[in-house]
Amino acid sequence: MESKGNSGKVLAIAAAIAVLLIVLVSVALAYSGRDVTILKDRTLHLNFNGYAVEVPLAEDGAVFDAPCLMTERDNEVTLLNDAGASVKINKKNLATGKTQKVTVEKIAYNELLRVEVTSSKDSRTIFFRTQSSRLPQLTVEGESAYNGEYYMTAADAPTMYKLNEKGEYTYYVALDPETNGDVRFSDFRKHVLDNGDVRYSYHQNAPEYTGFASEGYTLGSRVILDEKYKKIGKDDEEAIYLLESDNASGGEPVDNQSFVLLGDKHYIVSGQIQETAEGTDNKVAAQLIQEVDNGKVVFEWKSTDYPELYELSEGGASGDYFHMTDMLVDPSDDNLIIASKNTNTILKISRENGEILWKLSGKADDFGLSEAQKITAPQGLQLTEDGELVVFSAGNPDKITRLTLDEEAKAVTKRSDFTAPAGSKADGSAQLLDAEANAFGIGWGQNDDGALVTEYNFSTNKTVFSVKTADAKAWSARALKYAAEEK
């Protein structure tokens, strides 16, 4: 009987050991495929509104820059990698591969987003500035009396942004220049289509491009965004270049001088190609304008098809005899109005056959302007709802001119000229904000003083609102004001 009892005990112990081994093996197998890296050695991969960023968790309490944030709608933040821990942003759970909506009431240096990373043995808390340190440091004086937001870019960094009436950031993209090389944005715009849909666009340079380019142009591609600032089109269709046509091989870069969006797949864009001017041996930069609808070129205009324009040139290096600086569609007849800096001319062009319908200013002016009345180096155009043409020109001093034209009689029926309170070297703009007060929003473009935008009332000769930056290299190619978005 005693031996039987001992045998039973031995069997029980053996069984217990077997069970323990099974448990240990199961635990080992369960953890064998897991990453047991401690949090301080991990990196968090996040995406803010379509722009990715990687941040190390080495330092608890570290503060980082978000690449893109906005106040007008909820921000979409996605966790791209398995952190091996629970992740929360502003106390909201952030699961791997999932997107969380995060509200930002105000973009400011002292306003932070809190990210908590917690595992069973460790935790980390890091922060993101709502106002990226990569954004221009602004000095704001006054407050705009006119509704709207200025759309701007920084010439020295991959940055674009919007400012409200108080000069506060309401939206921005500010990428790390160390990881984005020489990428730059310019000509940031808002578009409202005929059906009421809101779209945005910007020009992105092509630093790798080594082909033909004349001085003063930034060549690259145009990108269109939907109302949520998401790129429209598939990955291989997001960027707009010149299309194949009688004048282009297809794939050549477009310039950043202007862009007209008529629909999601309907736009007018401009670029340059090198040609020999008719009747000469001179190589020149031919201005090429393409209207594209659903992937097809439906209209094209080339400056060298009109040899008389070459004779109008009054400047321009490297054969840049024309140099278009702005372009818009006149809603009264759907034709194009373009500004040519190096011929000192504003032209209207038929979108049916490319005919030059009239020339304002320059050597071949059709409107009877005296030499003193002619416009020098037009940079920016605006066509008001009343059909008034506003021209910003760099003439030392810079000027803003309001014009009412009788196009049939080729006459200027009303005109007002204003000397700008400062100067612009290039890429300036002016918008009439108040017709009675002669108040304008002036984007200074390239300048040496760090001036970004000024709202100036010429009736009182006073600046009512201005924004400057300490770094003159952060100048903005145009500063255009559009109606603010509703939250």
Side-chain angles (χ1 to χ4, degrees), residues 18 58 93 114 126 129 217 304 337 352 388 406 439:
N93 290 323
R114 181 186 182 97
I126 61 173
R129 303 176 186 92
Y217 281 88
T304 47
I337 299 177
E352 290 186 3
E388 191 173 16
D406 182 336

Side-chain angles (χ1 to χ4, degrees), residues 72 149-151 161-163 168-171 188 229 485:
E72 64 199 43
E149 297 173 309
Y150 281 100
Y151 286 55
Y161 56 93
K162 292 164 50 175
L163 299 178
E168 300 169 331
Y169 289 104
T170 59
Y171 169 86
F188 185 25
Y229 301 96
E485 309 298 342

Side-chain angles (χ1 to χ4, degrees), residues 191 193-195 197 199-200 222-226 231-234 236-241 243 259-269 290-299 351:
H191 310 269
L193 306 182
D194 288 342
N195 62 3
D197 288 346
R199 298 290 183 260
Y200 308 94
R222 177 65 60 160
V223 180
I224 303 175
L225 310 175
D226 67 14
K231 294 179 181 178
I232 291 179
K234 300 177 182 178
D236 59 345
E237 299 174 347
E238 289 175 354
I240 292 174
Y241 298 88
L243 293 188
F259 179 75
V260 178
L261 186 64
L262 302 170
D264 284 340
K265 296 182 179 180
H266 189 188
Y267 58 83
I268 304 175
V269 72
Q290 286 188 342
E291 179 176 348
V292 176
D293 194 1
N294 285 305
K296 295 182 179 180
V297 178
V298 296
F299 169 76
R351 280 171 64 201

